[in-house]
Amino acid sequence: MASHGARGRSGGRPTLEEVAARAGVGRGTVSRVINGSPRVSDATRAAVEAAVAELGYVPNTAARALAANRTDAIALVVPEPETRFFAEPYFSDMLKGVGAELSETEMQLLLIFAGSDRERRRLAQYLAAHRVDGVLLVSVHADDPLPDLLSQLDIPAVISGPRSAGETLPSVDSDNYGGARQAVEHLLSRGRRRVAHITGRLDVYGAQRRIDGYRDALSDAGHGVDEALIEQGDFSEEGGSRAMAALLERRPDLDAVFAASDVTAAGARQALREAGRRIPDDVALVGYDDSAIARHLDPPLTSVRQPIEEMGRRMIDLLLTEVADRRPLASRGLDRRQVVLATELVPRSSS
Amino acid sequence: MASHGARGRSGGRPTLEEVAARAGVGRGTVSRVINGSPRVSDATRAAVEAAVAELGYVPNTAARALAANRTDAIALVVPEPETRFFAEPYFSDMLKGVGAELSETEMQLLLIFAGSDRERRRLAQYLAAHRVDGVLLVSVHADDPLPDLLSQLDIPAVISGPRSAGETLPSVDSDNYGGARQAVEHLLSRGRRRVAHITGRLDVYGAQRRIDGYRDALSDAGHGVDEALIEQGDFSEEGGSRAMAALLERRPDLDAVFAASDVTAAGARQALREAGRRIPDDVALVGYDDSAIARHLDPPLTSVRQPIEEMGRRMIDLLLTEVADRRPLASRGLDRRQVVLATELVPRSSS
DNA sequence: ATCACTGGTGGGAGCGCTCCCACAGTACCT
DNA sequence: AGGTACTGTGGGAGCGCTCCCACCAGTGAT
């Protein structure tokens, strides 16, 4: 191609100015073509595009960022150690959705881990420098200072899972309430009557909603809610087995358990085994997340699937809208800033 | 702190100019302090640092990138689909080393997947825009056009694993030759005499080196090399079991197998089982990589560990040297541009 | 005393864009 | 004919830095 010869002539990479000269137009016009402005005649556009191709012109991102005060990059912030990121399919699925949606755009995705204090300080510095146009926040705990920092810096952010019913940040979540209902209704439909619940960490809003769903599913089916059948867990395996042991002690006649996560269910399974209960014969078990662990458990675990990839997609949609809204002369975007996606029960042999 | 008030006064974020005014010095001096130049008196430095702290000044990366023609970012390019990235511990270990080493610097790490054609085209565009100062290339095949593209664009790059003995790019590799020797010598020391080898993909240089190590270990121990004990694999599980089947057919009396990867070994194990051979009683098995699969295989697999995290570290070292070398008035860095790290045999019950 | 230097400093020029104002041209009204 | 309202276009100004040259003291050699 001509690109190399032409590029060589001027020394470095071709600039807007050079493209303009070659196309016989002004700098502003080239800029308009590059940025897809409609206010350019077809003939001019064609001439500019030809010049761009001939010179192998690629816009200088730094110059653009400086002049336009934007970076065309967004960050996916994972406030966890990398280990968890690689261990849990949640993150890779999310990343897949995010990447897919983002590849439609010119935006660049940055993956940032902020598990340690040190990494968090680095991140704060990074955000203060406004090196990204927006932030995707996954797996945020109720007391995390990150969201506040972001709004202080006026950086658009979208959160996966609201921190409370009054969440101010845009968020994308799955229907924790509905998912819990599905799980419990499923167990009831299989003839189970004493359905226990091992909760997640109570400072996670989604865990609260799952409890609500559990309660309402029982009430609406005409069963009372036995508080002694609810035991607190923390999403971990140990928490699950500890909670299960407590439940068995209190209500040895329980015949089903809805655990707030698959990992919790794995812990519960362990405790049930040790107590000599068979799954599902004596006790039916349902988890949440439909992660790899659900499929590989023995017996395979019935679980509530969240559409994580889709959640990633929607988060990007929301974030891009937020980002666009802060740009000059943007029309206000959609007002549905809290998205909730449906869950799906995946029945397996544990129930 | 005073930072917010001060920042609010001028409207946006403070600039170099404002810091200079506040400290009662010139713009150049502030720049020197920010960039750690030694040619600043202690008193001035202190004054500037105070002003920076008071105003909460954070340099504008875009302006810096534009003026200095650098980005302070490097990319880790993974020419594989994301799925493999998450599935293989190789990548997460590498990422850990890279991240650790990079956190000592101001450099930003970008993770870029280039598994599909589409992603590759996007990457090419990205590199053409010189959006990174350097590139880390992992898992590159012999015929990959990426290295050439990079040298064409004059972007520093470091490769993990040379493509041939005459590799021109700086590279960091583990001692494939030595690792293979360790494996074979281990098997010989356990009294095995008919040691087979299932190779990796022959277009991967490291696989070639492992074959060399296998041959030399046998020769040096005074055993001949029986070509019929070498069978080509491709690093995959299917390849492993196919190769194993072929070997068993040809040399039913073999008593040990050195496989070019753990995954290959898993395939070989399957074929051995199906042929009714016990591991390690009838046939000893050694893999390569010491990945998670090695620990979880039944029986646990003896394997050759590569110091992957360390490799990540060293790749960053090399790359940063390369990057620094292209900057004005840099002293030429080290000339050891091909690093080879030692491997370690991890004995388990499969041998 | 004059003449190099040398460590320390100020500030102009310029990096390559975007934004926006000015203006030419055409079209359609009064 | 003059106004008004567009569409399309050129180019100045300016984004916030780095680079580098000019300059100013002090210091020691001549």
Side-chain angles (χ1 to χ4, degrees), chain A residues 98-341:
Chain A
V98 164
E101 192 72 10
L102 218 48
S103 74
E104 318 271 294
T105 74
E106 295 283 86
M107 285 273 180
Q108 161 70 7
L109 178 69
L110 302 178
L111 189 57
I112 301 184
F113 299 99
S116 68
D117 272 355
R118 187 183 170 157
E119 287 173 331
R120 292 200 147 234
R121 248 172 285 125
R122 219 173 176 244
L123 173 61
Q125 188 74 5
Y126 196 80
L127 296 174
H130 285 258
R131 292 187 64 167
V132 287
D133 290 341
V135 171
L136 244 39
L137 233 36
V138 300
S139 168
V140 186
H141 297 158
D143 56 346
D144 197 309
L146 224 40
D148 290 336
L149 175 63
L150 286 166
S151 50
Q152 229 173 271
L153 292 169
D154 196 35
I155 297 177
V158 172
I159 202 169
S160 79
R163 288 164 297 165
S164 72
E167 179 63 65
T168 48
L169 246 40
S171 70
V172 174
D173 201 3
S174 67
D175 182 6
N176 289 292
Y177 175 83
R181 287 197 67 126
Q182 285 177 305
V184 175
E185 283 162 6
H186 164 79
L187 288 168
L188 293 175
S189 77
R190 298 276 171 129
R192 307 292 170 158
R193 285 299 169 263
R194 287 171 301 283
V195 180
H197 179 37
I198 303 177
T199 75
R201 289 180 44 173
L202 298 184
D203 63 343
V204 174
Y205 179 64
Q208 295 282 4
R209 295 298 292 150
R210 289 176 199 174
I211 300 176
D212 295 345
Y214 163 82
R215 288 181 193 278
D216 290 1
L218 289 175
S219 313
D220 290 1
H223 303 279
V225 176
D226 179 356
E227 293 297 331
L229 279 173
I230 303 179
E231 179 67 26
Q232 191 182 331
D234 56 5
F235 289 128
S236 78
E237 186 159 357
E238 306 73 47
S241 59
R242 191 194 37 66
M244 191 69 247
L247 284 169
L248 283 173
E249 175 113 350
R250 221 156 49 216
R251 287 285 183 277
D253 60 339
L254 61 82
D255 61 4
V257 177
F258 165 47
S261 81
D262 288 345
V263 178
T264 299
R269 167 184 165 281
Q270 190 58 31
L272 286 169
R273 283 273 165 110
E274 283 164 9
R277 312 295 175 103
R278 289 164 305 163
I279 303 172
D281 312 59
D282 302 325
V283 178
L285 186 58
V286 175
Y288 207 102
D289 287 342
D290 191 34
S291 56
I293 198 174
R295 284 186 293 283
H296 295 134
L297 219 58
D298 174 31
L301 182 69
T302 297
S303 188
V304 179
R305 165 182 300 161
Q306 316 184 61
I308 298 180
E309 208 174 315
E310 172 73 10
M311 287 169 67
R313 282 204 158 75
R314 300 296 286 273
M315 286 181 76
I316 290 291
D317 285 348
L318 275 183
L319 187 60
L320 293 184
T321 310
E322 290 287 310
V323 169
D325 280 0
R326 318 241 175 153
R327 308 254 239 240
L329 41 93
S331 56
R332 283 294 111 173
L334 22 64
D335 46 2
R336 308 186 103 299
R337 308 203 329 156
Q338 313 284 345
V339 174
V340 176
L341 300 177

Side-chain angles (χ1 to χ4, degrees), chain A residues 25-29 32 39-41 44 66-67:
Chain A
V25 300
R27 213 169 63 263
T29 301
R32 273 179 289 259
R39 321 204 137 278
V40 181
S41 71
T44 309
L66 178 58

Side-chain angles (χ1 to χ4, degrees), chain B residues 103-185:
Chain B
S103 74
E104 318 271 294
T105 73
E106 296 282 88
M107 284 273 179
Q108 161 71 8
L109 178 68
L110 301 177
L111 189 57
I112 301 185
F113 299 99
S116 67
D117 272 356
R118 187 184 168 152
E119 287 172 330
R120 294 201 144 230
R121 248 172 285 126
R122 216 169 177 248
L123 172 61
Q125 189 73 9
Y126 196 80
L127 295 174
H130 284 258
R131 293 188 64 169
V132 287
D133 291 341
V135 170
L136 244 39
L137 233 35
V138 299
S139 169
V140 187
H141 296 157
D143 56 347
D144 197 309
L146 225 40
D148 290 336
L149 176 62
L150 286 165
S151 50
Q152 228 172 273
L153 291 168
D154 197 35
I155 296 176
V158 173
I159 202 168
S160 78
R163 288 164 296 166
S164 72
E167 179 62 65
T168 49
L169 246 39
S171 70
V172 175
D173 201 3
S174 66
D175 183 6
N176 289 293
Y177 175 83
R181 286 197 68 124
Q182 284 178 306
V184 175
E185 282 161 7

Side-chain angles (χ1 to χ4, degrees), chain B:
Chain B
M1 285 310 211
S3 66
H4 284 93
R7 204 183 295 163
R9 244 176 279 288
S10 64
R13 298 163 49 197
T15 67
L16 242 207
E17 194 93 44
E18 288 166 30
V19 174
R22 176 109 182 188
V25 300
R27 215 167 62 265
T29 301
V30 178
S31 176
R32 273 179 288 258
V33 172
I34 300 292
N35 294 290
S37 157
R39 322 203 136 279
V40 182
S41 71
D42 289 348
T44 309
R45 181 184 308 280
V48 170
E49 277 165 356
V52 165
E54 284 165 23
L55 295 175
Y57 170 75
V58 180
N60 180 318
T61 344
R64 174 177 285 176
L66 178 59
N69 195 31
R70 60 198 167 91
T71 64
D72 290 326
I74 66 160
L76 174 63
V77 171
V78 184
E80 306 273 354
E82 305 180 16
T83 324
R84 267 204 63 199
F85 181 80
F86 282 97
E88 297 188 19
Y90 177 88
F91 294 109
S92 64
D93 286 350
M94 173 76 60
L95 189 60
K96 212 185 289 174
V98 164
E101 191 72 10
L102 219 46
S103 74
E104 318 271 294
T105 73
E106 296 282 88
M107 284 273 179
Q108 161 71 8
L109 178 68
L110 301 177
L111 189 57
I112 301 185
F113 299 99
S116 67
D117 272 356
R118 187 184 168 152
E119 287 172 330
R120 294 201 144 230
R121 248 172 285 126
R122 216 169 177 248
L123 172 61
Q125 189 73 9
Y126 196 80
L127 295 174
H130 284 258
R131 293 188 64 169
V132 287
D133 291 341
V135 170
L136 244 39
L137 233 35
V138 299
S139 169
V140 187
H141 296 157
D143 56 347
D144 197 309
L146 225 40
D148 290 336
L149 176 62
L150 286 165
S151 50
Q152 228 172 273
L153 291 168
D154 197 35
I155 296 176
V158 173
I159 202 168
S160 78
R163 288 164 296 166
S164 72
E167 179 62 65
T168 49
L169 246 39
S171 70
V172 175
D173 201 3
S174 66
D175 183 6
N176 289 293
Y177 175 83
R181 286 197 68 124
Q182 284 178 306
V184 175
E185 282 161 7
H186 164 80
L187 289 167
L188 293 176
S189 77
R190 298 277 171 128
R192 307 291 172 159
R193 286 298 170 263
R194 285 171 302 281
V195 180
H197 178 37
I198 304 178
T199 75
R201 287 181 43 174
L202 298 186
D203 61 345
V204 174
Y205 180 64
Q208 296 282 3
R209 295 298 292 151
R210 290 176 200 172
I211 299 175
D212 295 345
Y214 162 82
R215 288 180 192 277
D216 289 1
L218 289 176
S219 311
D220 291 0
H223 302 279
V225 176
D226 178 356
E227 292 299 330
L229 279 172
I230 303 179
E231 178 69 26
Q232 191 182 333
D234 56 6
F235 290 127
S236 78
E237 187 159 356
E238 306 74 46
S241 59
R242 192 194 35 67
M244 190 68 246
L247 284 169
L248 283 173
E249 175 113 353
R250 224 159 43 215
R251 286 284 184 276
D253 60 339
L254 60 82
D255 60 6
V257 178
F258 164 47
S261 82
D262 288 347
V263 178
T264 299
R269 167 186 165 278
Q270 190 60 30
L272 286 168
R273 283 273 165 110
E274 282 164 10
R277 312 296 174 102
R278 290 164 306 164
I279 303 172
D281 314 57
D282 302 326
V283 178
L285 188 57
V286 174
Y288 207 102
D289 286 344
D290 191 35
S291 57
I293 197 173
R295 285 185 293 284
H296 295 134
L297 219 58
D298 173 32
L301 181 70
T302 297
S303 189
V304 179
R305 166 182 299 161
Q306 316 183 62
I308 298 180
E309 209 173 314
E310 172 72 9
M311 286 169 68
R313 283 203 157 76
R314 301 297 286 273
M315 285 180 76
I316 291 292
D317 286 349
L318 275 184
L319 187 59
L320 293 184
T321 310
E322 290 287 309
V323 170
D325 280 0
R326 317 238 176 155
R327 306 251 240 244
L329 42 93
S331 56
R332 282 296 110 174
L334 23 65
D335 46 2
R336 308 186 103 299
R337 310 201 330 157
Q338 313 283 345
V339 174
V340 175
L341 300 176
T343 56
E344 178 194 359
L345 185 90
V346 182
R348 295 201 182 83
S349 37
S350 73
S351 66

